[in-house]
Amino acid sequence: MALLTDVVERLGDMIRVLPGCQVAARSVTTCGVIDPVELHTDRTDRSDEVLLLVSGLDDIADVSADLRSMRPAMVIVKTADEASWRTIARQSSVPVGVARGDITWGQLLGLITSVIRATSLPGPEASVADDIDASSQGDLFDLAISLATQVCGYVTIDDAHTRVLAFSPLDEHADQLRRDSVLGRAAPPGHLEQIRTMGVWDALRRGELVELPGTASTMPRLGIGLIDPHDGRYVGVIWVQRGPDPFAPRARQLLRAASVVAAGMIGQRSRARNRDRTLLSQLLGISESLESPRTLTTALGLDGIQTWALGALQVHGPRRPGPVWTRVATTVQLEAATVGGGSRILDTPEILYVLVHDPTPKADLEAWARRTSATLAASRLAVRVAVGPIGHGAQDLRSMREACDTLLADIAVDDENRIRTYEAHRAEVTLAQIAQALRESGLVSAARVEALRLAKYVDGDELAQTISTYLRSNLNTGATAAEMGIHPNTLRQRLKRVEATVGVDLSNAADRLLLELELRARE
């Protein structure tokens, strides 16, 4: 949890609290997204949540009553009708902030979430490791603010992949480069290429202090590379933009001292994140673990959750990590926030898994998949999405992930419908899982499938393909022949050859089922 006052302070001029609203020093743990028209359907207690209301105002009295019921810590809107929202704030006793128009909801969600996590205070149940990790993240923002005050500048702390980890508040003196970096949560690609050609990048990776002169559009800057004292790795950079006044005389000395502190914090945070990635991978059954699912969820701070939803995405195009991939992850996180109480993202080399806990009762997961896919497609990214079954315990997560993998594998690259849901394809997924279990247990033999593939009938693979297509077409001779582009008589001849080759009676349901399982097990 974090204090709402700290979150608002660190967002700077990105939001403006409406006059008359009191921002209390209350605890917040998450940032959620909701449409005002859906407020009346949500009666959950959101007293620890900052809510982003992402569309226009409906009825003042209804919205006020809904907010009184939900009791969010704060509401953030984009509006020109500030008078109505001041009325709502007064009637509901919920503070209202207005976001700047040039900030997207995705950027705002990402920033608020990162600030909450970075300023989190350990709860009464937190472990020593949790205390260390939370305090190191919080201190990173504190360090940025303290350093900015002492050097008379504006501070941004990035990781090794140029993603913004912490920053001092924005105000009217921040140049466009700083605004782009903070709002995009990563340095603009053009800027990175510029400093790369100047040799600045190499100097930063050696942990050196560099000075960049101002240009027509940017202010002068100081930067220093961060080297993890634990293992000597380059882990990030601190940038200081000069403000309206010159840098303080001790600015360079203070920046060098801050680099030592920040490098230790980021290195520790990176090791904690790698630990969480490993635990989440084990929880989903991607990597092996000797621990029980309950132990893994406890270690991840996810114990006590009763209901789970899992989505999986394959996104083709952006380099990982990088600015484009950062936007992809933010988009996915934004959409996931609309359907559940929280989410975790696991990025593997092939698939991005989105684990949503406590999905809302009316959550339409297929609609979530379509919105996410459409948003990414608008950025010219090819994406395939799978929505797994709902789980009712951590022990279900492995089978949910396997179902998502099966669904994704069934989506062809040129398929117009690149979304698969477990509910719509339950039978296919279940058969695939049964076939996999039979294959792993050795309960089905490969002999008959191999006999089909080795048969001297034009091409052995044609026999295997013919019987597979015939069985999946529900024994429809016309549909099978049309799909394979052959004459129905040719199909009948091949089916007779299949019966003769493997000794099966295709008019017998049990024979057909066993043969289909053997075929699926060898796919």
Side-chain angles (χ1 to χ4, degrees):
M1 55 186 170
L3 294 179
L4 180 61
T5 48
D6 291 341
V7 173
V8 172
E9 177 187 356
R10 289 173 181 181
L11 290 175
D13 70 350
M14 285 179 280
I15 65 169
R16 178 171 48 83
V17 180
L18 289 180
C21 294
Q22 298 295 321
V23 178
R26 60 189 296 182
S27 298
V28 291
T29 61
T30 186
C31 180
V33 183
I34 195 168
D35 191 307
V37 299
E38 299 174 357
L39 282 174
H40 67 280
T41 68
D42 191 334
R43 287 293 179 264
T44 56
D45 183 345
R46 292 178 176 253
S47 56
D48 63 344
E49 189 168 3
V50 176
L51 283 186
L52 308 182
L53 299 190
V54 298
S55 70
L57 182 63
D58 189 7
D59 181 89
I60 291 179
D62 287 346
V63 172
S64 298
D66 293 332
L67 291 180
R68 279 198 304 272
S69 173
M70 295 165 62
R71 302 181 301 159
M74 185 176 187
V75 167
I76 297 178
V77 299
K78 290 184 181 180
T79 183
D81 185 7
E82 294 190 7
S84 294
W85 279 105
R86 283 199 296 271
T87 300
I88 291 172
R90 184 176 64 255
Q91 293 178 351
S92 65
S93 300
V94 174
V96 176
V98 178
R100 286 210 333 250
D102 60 342
I103 305 174
T104 69
W105 288 118
Q107 290 170 337
L108 195 57
L109 174 71
L111 283 171
I112 294 176
T113 300
S114 67
V115 170
I116 288 174
R117 289 176 178 171
T119 57
S120 288
L121 305 170
E125 303 292 326
S127 66
V128 174
D130 293 332
D131 290 355
I132 294 172
D133 187 42
S135 83
S136 70
Q137 294 182 46
D139 286 348
L140 207 56
F141 263 91
D142 293 338
L143 177 64
I145 295 170
S146 176
L147 181 62
T149 301
Q150 294 183 69
V151 302
C152 297
Y154 300 93
V155 174
T156 305
I157 303 177
D158 299 352
D159 69 8
H161 304 295
T162 73
R163 293 178 296 223
V164 176
L165 299 176
F167 50 88
S168 59
L170 292 172
D171 64 20
E172 69 275 12
H173 298 298
D175 63 20
Q176 194 59 46
L177 173 57
R178 174 171 165 78
R179 289 186 178 278
D180 288 346
S181 297
V182 172
L183 294 179
R185 300 186 69 209
H191 171 67
L192 298 180
E193 185 59 33
Q194 179 185 13
I195 65 174
R196 190 175 286 112
T197 58
M198 294 170 59
V200 172
W201 199 252
D202 291 336
L204 291 173
R205 296 185 72 84
R206 292 191 296 268
E208 298 176 8
L209 189 149
V210 300
E211 301 191 30
L212 298 182
T215 67
S217 59
T218 63
M219 296 293 287
R221 274 172 167 70
L222 299 176
I224 190 168
L226 306 178
I227 307 299
D228 185 357
H230 181 77
D231 54 17
R233 289 183 304 116
Y234 168 75
V235 293
V237 60
I238 300 178
W239 290 109
V240 184
Q241 176 216 310
R242 202 190 76 188
D245 300 318
F247 286 126
R250 298 176 60 237
R252 290 156 185 81
Q253 178 183 357
L254 290 167
L255 184 55
R256 287 190 176 92
S259 72
V260 176
V261 178
M265 293 179 187
I266 295 173
Q268 182 184 55
R269 182 179 181 181
S270 175
R271 289 187 289 276
R273 183 178 292 127
N274 288 339
R275 179 206 63 187
D276 283 357
R277 282 176 53 85
T278 299
L279 292 173
L280 192 53
S281 177
Q282 292 172 347
L283 186 60
L284 295 179
I286 297 171
S287 55
E288 295 300 322
S289 173
L290 297 178
E291 303 291 348
S292 68
R294 182 174 180 179
T295 300
L296 294 172
T297 53
T298 299
L300 285 164
L302 299 175
D303 49 328
I305 294 172
Q306 300 299 318
T307 310
W308 306 82
L310 184 68
L313 300 90
Q314 283 184 319
V315 183
H316 302 279
R319 186 179 62 181
R320 312 181 191 187
V324 175
W325 186 251
T326 298
R327 289 196 294 274
V328 168
T330 301
T331 297
V332 172
Q333 188 175 34
L334 171 63
E335 292 294 348
T338 66
V339 295
S343 64
R344 293 289 183 97
I345 293 178
L346 177 64
D347 182 12
T348 71
E350 298 294 331
I351 300 173
L352 183 70
Y353 295 98
V354 185
L355 180 62
V356 178
H357 53 80
D358 295 325
T360 55
K362 295 185 178 181
D364 187 338
L365 297 176
E366 182 173 0
W368 162 79
R370 297 197 181 283
R371 288 195 305 268
T372 303
S373 179
T375 303
L376 295 177
S379 300
R380 299 182 179 180
L381 296 172
V383 59
R384 292 184 274 188
V385 188
V387 178
I390 295 294
H392 298 284
Q395 70 279 358
D396 295 339
L397 290 173
R398 182 183 187 119
S399 62
M400 291 165 62
R401 192 266 308 164
E402 291 172 345
C404 285
D405 291 351
T406 300
L407 290 166
L408 282 179
D410 191 48
I411 305 174
V413 175
D414 57 351
D415 198 329
E416 291 186 5
N417 181 14
R418 296 189 173 187
I419 297 173
R420 294 286 190 277
T421 66
Y422 176 78
E423 290 304 316
H425 298 81
R426 184 194 303 259
E428 293 95 323
V429 172
T430 303
L431 275 175
Q433 292 174 332
I434 291 172
Q436 180 181 350
L438 291 173
R439 180 174 63 250
E440 293 174 350
S441 66
L443 289 176
V444 293
S445 169
R448 295 204 297 182
V449 177
E450 288 305 308
L452 285 175
R453 290 177 173 159
L454 295 174
K456 304 298 183 182
Y457 182 82
V458 184
D459 180 351
D461 280 336
E462 286 193 4
L463 285 183
Q465 181 187 5
T466 298
I467 186 59
S468 293
T469 306
Y470 178 65
L471 292 172
R472 295 189 184 194
S473 299
N474 297 318
L475 315 184
N476 188 315
T477 303
T480 304
E483 182 176 341
M484 299 191 68
I486 60 177
H487 193 278
N489 287 339
T490 303
L491 172 62
R492 294 185 184 96
Q493 291 173 5
R494 290 189 185 180
L495 293 176
K496 289 179 181 178
R497 182 58 64 102
V498 168
E499 289 182 317
T501 300
V502 297
V504 65
D505 178 3
L506 293 179
S507 65
N508 183 286
D511 275 5
R512 290 196 307 270
L513 176 59
L514 180 58
L515 181 58
E516 181 170 3
L517 289 174
E518 290 173 345
L519 287 164
R520 286 178 178 269
R522 296 296 167 234
E523 289 180 347

